[in-house]
Amino acid sequence: MTTYEEQTKLTDLSATAEQVRRAVESVIEGKPEVVRISLTVLLAEGHLLLEDVPGVGKTMLAKSLARAIDCTVQRVQFTPDLLPSDITGISVYDQQTREFEFKPGAVFAQIMIGDEINRASPKTQSALLEAMEERQVTADGRTYPLPDPFMVIATQNPVEMEGTYPLPEAQRDRFMARVSVGYPDPEAELRMLQSHGGYSPLDALQPVASAQDVVKLIEAVREIHVSDAVRRYAVDLVIATRTHTELRLGASPRATLQLLRAAKASAALCGRGYVLPDDVQALAVPVLAHRLLPTAQAQLNRRTSEQIVTEIVHRTAVSSPYGAPQHRGY
């Protein structure tokens, strides 16, 4: 592919992604960075965990992103009585054919929205593990591929923990990024009152891209160039989490891979055909923090995973293309 063809492809990607971003921001007021990370995860073939207090728009954000793309969507309200078969599907006996017929579950959608995922039992949560990692479902000895693109957007409330089941490390590790929506600023909240007062903007939101458009965008992101120095920098960041004295569990190799994929998507959204260390730095906290477990002493000192990752980013030097580390002045 020529340089001109690559730039044209990136221009088309940026234009389509910009349309999706604007469509989502027409519903979600004052949260451009959260919307951008959500779109980055989609183009990086990842899954997104939205964690925040009730009423800040977690489910609305997930619905807006899903509706902005003309693809199949399934929303599941996770409850303690939800069964794994409700997620993956179940085989039903057909009396006419005298054979079992597989009825797909909610996961057989291009975008699955799991609302309050930590309210389901661990058995039901584990039903998503194969789907999120291998993009397939195995039932009754048969394997069924999931549609393309495929993304899980899950929400959870970190405050009201009664009757919930915390996500195990294996489940959290399969989410590419975790973001908190947060409260809007006063101006954004005023605009929300004006736009949401009489009706929901979500009802007026129309798709601005098709599922095939998203597939093309994902293919373009895969072709983004990553230098050896940037790869080394990503590895250095992850290794630093494994040796940090305030962490009893560091990031996994899967985290390294997903950090690099997210950085490639971020570079593509900026219209660049190559990844900068800045792309990796900007995504280090949302991609790495939720995978880490602070030590008991760190928790007593009220140290969060986000704070520790931020310090690691500031202290880790970026290797130059010639092998010598370069400090970026942080």
Side-chain angles (χ1 to χ4, degrees):
M1 181 181 291
T2 65
T3 303
Y4 175 78
E5 291 173 340
E6 290 176 350
Q7 189 59 45
T8 301
K9 199 169 186 178
L10 283 174
T11 302
D12 294 340
L13 183 152
S14 299
T16 304
E18 180 66 15
Q19 290 179 337
V20 176
R21 184 190 65 79
R22 289 181 179 178
V24 176
E25 288 187 357
S26 68
V27 179
I28 305 299
E29 295 281 354
K31 295 296 177 181
E33 187 58 30
V34 175
V35 174
R36 178 180 173 81
I37 292 178
S38 303
L39 191 55
T40 299
V41 172
L42 172 65
L43 299 186
E45 302 178 87
H47 308 288
L48 182 65
L49 180 62
L50 301 172
E51 183 179 280
D52 215 321
V53 297
V56 294
K58 300 187 298 297
T59 305
M60 185 69 73
L61 172 61
K63 286 183 176 180
S64 301
L65 181 60
R67 188 165 294 187
I69 305 167
D70 189 13
C71 61
T72 58
V73 181
Q74 288 280 1
R75 179 183 181 276
V76 179
Q77 183 66 51
F78 279 72
T79 56
D81 60 346
L82 192 71
L83 298 176
S85 58
D86 296 327
I87 304 295
T88 59
I90 190 172
S91 295
V92 179
Y93 184 73
D94 190 333
Q95 294 184 350
Q96 293 182 348
T97 61
R98 296 185 178 181
E99 294 180 351
F100 283 94
E101 180 182 359
F102 181 71
K103 299 293 184 181
V107 77
F108 284 86
Q110 289 167 317
I111 294 185
M112 175 186 168
I113 303 173
D115 204 5
E116 295 188 276
I117 187 174
N118 56 334
R119 292 201 175 278
S121 66
K123 183 177 181 180
T124 302
Q125 291 179 13
S126 64
L128 283 170
L129 294 179
E130 180 186 11
M132 294 175 68
E133 178 65 19
E134 302 175 42
R135 299 177 183 269
Q136 66 182 28
V137 169
T138 302
D140 298 328
R142 294 187 60 183
T143 299
Y144 303 91
L146 295 175
D148 195 21
F150 172 69
M151 180 183 186
V152 174
I153 306 177
T155 70
Q156 68 173 357
N157 175 12
V159 177
E160 185 184 359
M161 302 303 293
E162 293 81 3
T164 62
Y165 303 88
L167 295 180
E169 286 76 13
Q171 183 78 61
R172 293 201 310 270
D173 199 44
R174 280 165 168 77
F175 284 101
M176 176 173 284
R178 180 188 65 182
V179 296
S180 297
V181 179
Y183 293 115
D185 56 53
E187 289 76 15
E189 197 158 1
L190 282 172
R191 293 195 301 269
M192 182 194 71
L193 292 177
Q194 293 174 353
S195 60
H196 293 235
Y199 70 98
S200 174
L202 186 63
D203 298 333
L205 182 60
Q206 297 295 324
V208 295
S210 66
Q212 190 59 35
D213 290 334
V214 175
V215 171
K216 291 180 181 179
L217 297 180
I218 290 173
E219 291 174 353
V221 168
R222 292 172 182 168
E223 298 175 4
I224 298 298
H225 174 72
V226 183
S227 66
D228 292 339
V230 172
R231 290 193 185 94
R232 168 58 61 182
Y233 179 56
V235 170
D236 289 343
L237 287 177
V238 173
I239 290 178
T241 67
R242 301 170 189 165
T243 57
H244 200 283
T245 57
E246 292 185 291
L247 296 174
R248 57 188 176 94
L249 178 65
S252 66
R254 182 192 286 121
T256 315
L257 180 62
Q258 294 192 351
L259 178 60
L260 208 57
R261 286 177 177 173
K264 291 170 69 173
S266 179
L269 290 175
C270 294
R272 282 186 278 105
Y274 54 91
V275 177
L276 294 174
D278 294 340
D279 298 315
V280 178
Q281 291 174 349
L283 291 163
V285 171
V287 173
L288 298 180
H290 66 286
R291 309 168 192 268
L292 311 178
L293 292 180
T295 62
Q297 186 61 44
Q299 291 176 342
L300 287 174
N301 294 334
R302 300 182 181 274
R303 295 272 289 166
T304 65
S305 299
E306 288 79 5
Q307 292 173 336
I308 296 173
V309 173
T310 300
E311 288 185 2
I312 289 175
V313 170
H314 289 171
R315 294 176 181 175
T316 304
V318 181
S319 298
S320 72
Y322 307 102
Q326 293 182 343
H327 291 275
R328 300 179 61 84
Y330 293 105

